[in-house]
Amino acid sequence: MTVHALVPRLPVPALSVALTDGGRFVLGAAPAERFDLVVFYRGLHCPICAKYLIELERLAPQFAERGVNIIAVSSDDEERAKLMAEKVQASGLKFGYGLNLHAARQWGLYISTSRGKTSIGIEEPALFSEPGVFLVRPDGTLYYGAVQTMPFARPQFQDLLGAIDFAIKADYPARGEYTGAL
Protein backbone atom coordinates (compact mmCIF):
# COMPACT_ATOMS: atom_id res chain seq x y z
CA MET A 1 0.00 0.00 0.00
CA THR A 2 1.17 3.49 -0.84
CA VAL A 3 -0.22 6.58 0.83
CA HIS A 4 0.21 9.71 -1.28
CA ALA A 5 0.69 13.22 -0.02
CA LEU A 6 -0.29 15.92 -2.48
CA VAL A 7 2.25 18.65 -3.14
CA PRO A 8 1.24 22.32 -3.25
CA ARG A 9 1.70 24.04 -6.64
CA LEU A 10 1.48 20.66 -8.45
CA PRO A 11 -1.59 19.22 -10.18
CA VAL A 12 -4.11 17.37 -8.04
CA PRO A 13 -5.48 13.97 -9.09
CA ALA A 14 -8.50 13.74 -11.35
CA LEU A 15 -11.89 13.90 -9.67
CA SER A 16 -15.14 12.96 -11.38
CA VAL A 17 -18.24 12.09 -9.35
CA ALA A 18 -21.97 11.94 -9.87
CA LEU A 19 -23.99 14.67 -8.15
CA THR A 20 -27.14 14.23 -6.10
CA ASP A 21 -28.88 16.74 -8.38
CA GLY A 22 -28.40 14.40 -11.34
CA GLY A 23 -25.40 16.13 -12.88
CA ARG A 24 -21.72 15.31 -12.74
CA PHE A 25 -18.81 17.16 -11.17
CA VAL A 26 -15.51 16.98 -13.03
CA LEU A 27 -12.77 18.97 -11.34
CA GLY A 28 -11.30 21.47 -13.79
CA ALA A 29 -14.16 21.27 -16.31
CA ALA A 30 -15.59 24.59 -15.06
CA PRO A 31 -13.06 25.92 -12.53
CA ALA A 32 -14.00 28.56 -10.02
CA GLU A 33 -12.68 32.10 -10.33
CA ARG A 34 -10.23 31.62 -7.45
CA PHE A 35 -10.53 28.13 -5.92
CA ASP A 36 -12.53 24.94 -5.94
CA LEU A 37 -13.05 23.81 -2.35
CA VAL A 38 -13.22 20.02 -2.29
CA VAL A 39 -14.44 18.64 1.03
CA PHE A 40 -14.24 14.88 1.38
CA TYR A 41 -16.46 13.55 4.17
CA ARG A 42 -16.86 10.08 5.67
CA GLY A 43 -20.51 9.49 4.76
CA LEU A 44 -24.06 9.52 6.06
CA HIS A 45 -23.08 7.41 9.07
CA CYS A 46 -20.93 10.24 10.50
CA PRO A 47 -22.74 12.72 12.79
CA ILE A 48 -19.65 14.93 12.97
CA CYS A 49 -19.64 15.16 9.16
CA ALA A 50 -23.26 16.32 9.17
CA LYS A 51 -22.49 19.07 11.68
CA TYR A 52 -19.39 20.09 9.69
CA LEU A 53 -21.32 20.22 6.41
CA ILE A 54 -24.19 22.20 7.98
CA GLU A 55 -21.61 24.85 8.88
CA LEU A 56 -20.22 24.75 5.34
CA GLU A 57 -23.72 25.16 3.91
CA ARG A 58 -24.25 28.19 6.18
CA LEU A 59 -21.03 29.78 4.91
CA ALA A 60 -21.46 28.79 1.24
CA PRO A 61 -22.56 32.32 0.18
CA GLN A 62 -19.40 33.80 1.71
CA PHE A 63 -17.23 31.35 -0.22
CA ALA A 64 -19.13 32.20 -3.42
CA GLU A 65 -18.49 35.94 -2.83
CA ARG A 66 -14.78 35.14 -2.87
CA GLY A 67 -14.92 33.20 -6.14
CA VAL A 68 -14.85 29.75 -4.51
CA ASN A 69 -16.97 26.82 -5.70
CA ILE A 70 -17.69 24.06 -3.18
CA ILE A 71 -18.30 20.34 -3.47
CA ALA A 72 -18.74 17.79 -0.68
CA VAL A 73 -17.74 14.27 -1.73
CA SER A 74 -18.01 10.80 -0.19
CA SER A 75 -17.84 7.18 -1.25
CA ASP A 76 -21.50 6.78 -0.23
CA ASP A 77 -23.99 5.61 -2.82
CA GLU A 78 -26.61 7.94 -4.31
CA GLU A 79 -29.30 7.19 -1.72
CA ARG A 80 -27.03 7.87 1.25
CA ALA A 81 -25.59 11.02 -0.36
CA LYS A 82 -29.10 12.37 -0.99
CA LEU A 83 -30.01 11.69 2.64
CA MET A 84 -26.95 13.64 3.78
CA ALA A 85 -27.80 16.52 1.44
CA GLU A 86 -31.31 16.57 2.93
CA LYS A 87 -29.93 16.47 6.48
CA VAL A 88 -27.68 19.44 5.67
CA GLN A 89 -30.55 21.20 3.84
CA ALA A 90 -28.16 21.81 0.97
CA SER A 91 -28.89 24.66 -1.36
CA GLY A 92 -25.48 26.26 -1.94
CA LEU A 93 -23.53 23.06 -1.48
CA LYS A 94 -23.16 20.37 -4.16
CA PHE A 95 -22.95 16.74 -3.06
CA GLY A 96 -20.89 14.24 -5.03
CA TYR A 97 -21.10 10.52 -4.38
CA GLY A 98 -19.56 7.22 -5.37
CA LEU A 99 -15.96 8.29 -4.76
CA ASN A 100 -13.76 5.40 -5.82
CA LEU A 101 -11.48 4.47 -2.92
CA HIS A 102 -8.50 4.20 -5.29
CA ALA A 103 -9.15 7.85 -6.17
CA ALA A 104 -9.46 8.66 -2.45
CA ARG A 105 -5.99 7.20 -1.90
CA GLN A 106 -4.62 9.28 -4.78
CA TRP A 107 -5.87 12.34 -2.92
CA GLY A 108 -3.96 11.16 0.18
CA LEU A 109 -7.10 10.25 2.13
CA TYR A 110 -6.99 7.59 4.80
CA ILE A 111 -9.29 4.58 4.46
CA SER A 112 -11.16 3.01 7.39
CA THR A 113 -13.01 -0.26 7.87
CA SER A 114 -16.50 -0.60 9.26
CA ARG A 115 -17.11 -0.92 12.98
CA GLY A 116 -20.83 -1.53 12.53
CA LYS A 117 -23.45 1.00 13.51
CA THR A 118 -22.44 4.46 14.64
CA SER A 119 -23.79 6.44 17.59
CA ILE A 120 -26.72 7.58 15.41
CA GLY A 121 -27.61 4.00 14.45
CA ILE A 122 -26.43 4.08 10.84
CA GLU A 123 -24.26 1.27 9.50
CA GLU A 124 -20.80 2.24 8.32
CA PRO A 125 -19.83 1.06 4.82
CA ALA A 126 -17.34 -1.83 4.70
CA LEU A 127 -14.66 0.67 3.62
CA PHE A 128 -14.80 4.47 3.47
CA SER A 129 -12.44 7.43 3.32
CA GLU A 130 -11.65 9.73 6.20
CA PRO A 131 -12.01 13.53 5.83
CA GLY A 132 -9.93 15.86 3.70
CA VAL A 133 -10.24 19.52 2.72
CA PHE A 134 -8.53 20.93 -0.37
CA LEU A 135 -8.35 24.27 -2.16
CA VAL A 136 -7.56 23.78 -5.84
CA ARG A 137 -6.54 26.68 -8.08
CA PRO A 138 -8.26 27.15 -11.46
CA ASP A 139 -5.14 25.72 -13.14
CA GLY A 140 -5.70 22.43 -11.28
CA THR A 141 -2.85 22.80 -8.80
CA LEU A 142 -3.08 22.35 -5.06
CA TYR A 143 -3.15 25.51 -2.98
CA TYR A 144 -4.13 24.07 0.42
CA GLY A 145 -4.73 20.60 1.75
CA ALA A 146 -5.57 18.97 5.08
CA VAL A 147 -6.34 15.32 5.73
CA GLN A 148 -7.48 13.63 8.92
CA THR A 149 -7.24 10.09 10.22
CA MET A 150 -10.29 10.70 12.41
CA PRO A 151 -13.60 12.53 12.05
CA PHE A 152 -12.67 15.22 14.59
CA ALA A 153 -10.34 18.25 14.75
CA ARG A 154 -10.96 19.40 11.16
CA PRO A 155 -10.09 22.80 9.68
CA GLN A 156 -12.80 25.32 10.52
CA PHE A 157 -14.49 26.90 7.52
CA GLN A 158 -14.63 30.37 9.12
CA ASP A 159 -10.83 30.20 9.52
CA LEU A 160 -10.50 29.07 5.91
CA LEU A 161 -12.48 32.12 4.76
CA GLY A 162 -10.03 34.37 6.62
CA ALA A 163 -7.10 32.53 5.05
CA ILE A 164 -8.60 32.95 1.58
CA ASP A 165 -9.05 36.68 2.22
CA PHE A 166 -5.40 36.96 3.24
CA ALA A 167 -4.19 34.86 0.30
CA ILE A 168 -6.12 37.04 -2.16
CA LYS A 169 -5.03 40.35 -0.60
CA ALA A 170 -1.35 39.40 -0.26
CA ASP A 171 -1.17 37.21 -3.39
CA TYR A 172 0.21 34.63 -0.98
CA PRO A 173 1.72 31.56 -2.67
CA ALA A 174 0.92 27.95 -1.83
CA ARG A 175 3.42 26.69 0.74
CA GLY A 176 4.92 23.25 1.40
CA GLU A 177 6.05 22.93 -2.22
CA TYR A 178 9.68 21.92 -1.62
CA THR A 179 10.36 18.28 -2.50
CA GLY A 180 14.17 18.39 -2.90
CA ALA A 181 16.95 16.88 -0.84
CA LEU A 182 17.22 17.66 2.87
Side-chain angles (χ1 to χ4, degrees):
M1 180 209 64
T2 303
V3 175
H4 300 274
L6 301 187
V7 178
R9 302 186 195 175
L10 293 181
V12 297
L15 180 63
S16 176
V17 291
L19 295 170
T20 56
D21 69 5
R24 185 153 200 89
F25 175 83
V26 178
L27 185 62
E33 176 189 350
R34 291 217 169 87
F35 299 106
D36 281 296
L37 174 57
V38 181
V39 178
F40 294 101
Y41 70 98
R42 301 171 85 223
L44 178 66
H45 65 275
C46 177
I48 298 170
C49 294
K51 183 178 176 187
Y52 194 58
L53 294 172
I54 288 168
E55 177 66 2
L56 181 57
E57 172 65 32
R58 185 183 73 77
L59 294 171
Q62 292 181 49
F63 280 100
E65 289 169 6
R66 289 159 172 84
V68 179
N69 291 339
I70 307 169
I71 183 163
V73 180
S74 77
S75 57
D76 273 350
D77 62 22
E78 181 178 14
E79 179 184 353
R80 287 171 67 108
K82 283 183 174 180
L83 289 170
M84 181 62 97
E86 288 172 16
K87 185 182 283 193
V88 170
Q89 297 179 350
S91 63
L93 187 54
K94 294 179 188 169
F95 275 80
Y97 64 90
L99 175 68
N100 178 294
L101 293 178
H102 293 287
R105 273 237 172 102
Q106 289 179 328
W107 279 83
L109 301 178
Y110 293 91
I111 309 297
S112 290
T113 58
S114 177
R115 295 184 46 90
K117 288 189 178 182
T118 62
S119 61
I120 57 173
I122 298 174
E123 190 76 25
E124 291 181 342
L127 295 172
F128 58 92
S129 66
E130 292 295 338
V133 176
F134 299 89
L135 284 173
V136 179
R137 288 197 173 275
D139 66 1
T141 60
L142 179 66
Y143 184 76
Y144 166 86
V147 296
Q148 285 75 43
T149 63
M150 294 283 210
F152 20 82
R154 301 181 203 191
Q156 295 302 299
F157 294 120
Q158 190 68 52
D159 293 344
L160 197 53
L161 282 167
I164 289 169
D165 288 343
F166 174 79
I168 292 167
K169 181 179 176 189
D171 194 26
Y172 197 75
R175 302 313 315 261
E177 76 287 355
Y178 182 75
T179 59
L182 300 175

